[in-house]
Amino acid sequence: MPHNVTRRSVVAQLGALTSLIGMARSRSAFAGSIGRETERLVSRIDTLSGALRGELIPVNDWRNGINELLSSVPVAELMQGLDFERLAARTGFADLGVSTATIDFGFNEKKRLNFLPKLFAVDTGRSIIPHGHSNMVSAHLPLAGAFRLRQYDQISRNEHSLTIRPTVDRRITSGDLSSIGEEDDNVHWFIAEEPSYTFDVIITGLDDQEKRPYEIYNLDILAAKANPDGSLTAPRMEVAEALKKYG
Ligand SMILES: [Fe+2]
């Protein structure tokens, strides 16, 4: 991916990116009742994500840009814009793992977004089970609640395991954004300490030459072997087995 837009603030360049990729979304595209700030935010996330898809910016710029954009709007305002109460009631909680809902901003159906907006709901003690990814990136903004978040770089993988290196282990609450790169911080694991929700920005199919739009690798991190260089080799797990142990 080219590194031709590696400036201090990617967001400051959004206007230029918009005209470069011709994906500016007119206000009339937003038929719903989301607030003006949320509408502007979604439009800018869309432009930034279009730039990533179009290989105009590298993943690190996307991650920094998403962080900057989602820090620019108060969480309470975003929640109001998302009609959070209604959305959360519709989403509910899962007995194991997470319950998710795709967020409909009320766009004209012909104008597809460059990202998938979702709400994740995770009840106390439940988790977004430990997993790595390929051919996708994502960002996660806690709206309410608290998580213990762990992240790992993905160093290598084979059909049985992933070799990973710990990068993050912290408690996150409302407004503490996290994101994954294609290798950096690519594995994540969220354990909810109370009923919790995240707003997720997901981009799949980064490489459209790949057969599948994305892959998820569920990991048995507690059974990982420690390597002399500080990395861990964690066995891959089937979803049902992973939910039973970690969900
Ligand atoms: Fe994930």
Side-chain angles (χ1 to χ4, degrees), residues 120 128-129 131-133 136 138 140 180 186 188 190 216:
F120 276 47
I128 299 175
I129 59 178
H131 63 279
H133 318 71
M136 64 173 283
S138 59
H140 317 270
I180 65 163
N186 176 273
H188 54 188
F190 299 72
I216 297 282

Side-chain angles (χ1 to χ4, degrees), residues 14 66 102 111 140 145 151 154 178 196-197 226 241:
L14 276 179
I66 288 285
T102 300
K111 293 198 181 273
H140 317 270
Q151 285 185 263
Q154 182 181 163
S178 71
S196 300
Y197 295 88
E241 186 193 4

Side-chain angles (χ1 to χ4, degrees), residues 9-20:
S9 167
V10 183
V11 170
Q13 304 301 320
L14 276 179
L17 286 171
T18 300
S19 57
L20 264 175

Side-chain angles (χ1 to χ4, degrees), residues 13-220:
Q13 304 301 320
L14 276 179
L17 286 171
T18 300
S19 57
L20 264 175
I21 60 181
M23 286 179 184
R25 220 165 272 284
S26 69
R27 290 201 177 278
S28 63
F30 300 84
S33 58
I34 66 174
R36 179 165 294 189
E37 275 303 307
T38 305
E39 178 182 312
R40 207 164 81 102
L41 175 69
V42 171
S43 180
R44 296 175 104 195
I45 293 174
D46 190 45
T47 301
L48 186 71
S49 300
L52 177 68
R53 281 194 181 286
E55 300 193 0
L56 294 168
I57 58 169
V59 169
N60 268 348
D61 280 8
W62 180 82
R63 293 180 70 187
N64 290 335
I66 288 285
N67 196 19
E68 205 176 325
L69 286 175
L70 285 173
S71 307
S72 69
V73 175
V75 170
E77 198 165 323
L78 177 61
M79 287 170 77
Q80 207 176 353
L82 297 174
D83 198 357
F84 174 78
E85 295 298 335
R86 188 185 58 82
L87 192 59
R90 177 158 70 87
T91 309
F93 286 114
D95 292 337
L96 279 181
V98 303
S99 178
T100 72
T102 300
I103 300 169
D104 178 3
F105 288 111
F107 304 125
N108 180 328
E109 276 180 19
K110 286 178 186 162
K111 293 198 181 273
R112 290 193 56 196
L113 288 172
N114 288 300
F115 68 98
L116 181 64
K118 293 195 94 162
L119 184 79
F120 276 47
V122 196
D123 207 355
T124 308
R126 306 278 66 84
S127 81
I128 299 175
I129 59 178
H131 63 279
H133 318 71
S134 64
N135 208 21
M136 64 173 283
V137 291
S138 59
H140 317 270
L141 181 74
L143 299 173
F147 295 95
R148 178 178 176 188
L149 167 67
R150 277 168 274 189
Q151 285 185 263
Y152 309 78
D153 289 343
Q154 182 181 163
I155 299 167
S156 64
R157 66 170 176 268
N158 60 38
E159 60 181 305
H160 305 295
S161 63
L162 266 66
T163 295
I164 62 179
R165 187 183 303 281
T167 54
V168 173
D169 186 351
R170 65 188 179 110
R171 183 172 188 270
I172 57 168
T173 58
S174 173
D176 294 330
L177 185 82
S178 71
S179 64
I180 65 163
E182 288 180 290
E183 289 96 22
D184 296 348
D185 303 316
N186 176 273
V187 174
H188 54 188
W189 178 14
F190 299 72
I191 301 174
E193 296 178 352
E194 52 193 87
S196 300
Y197 295 88
T198 64
F199 169 63
D200 285 40
V201 174
I202 300 169
I203 302 182
T204 59
L206 285 178
D207 180 353
D208 55 17
Q209 303 296 310
E210 290 283 337
K211 265 189 258 167
R212 292 163 63 94
Y214 67 93
E215 296 280 358
I216 297 282
Y217 311 101
N218 297 307
L219 298 177
D220 194 352

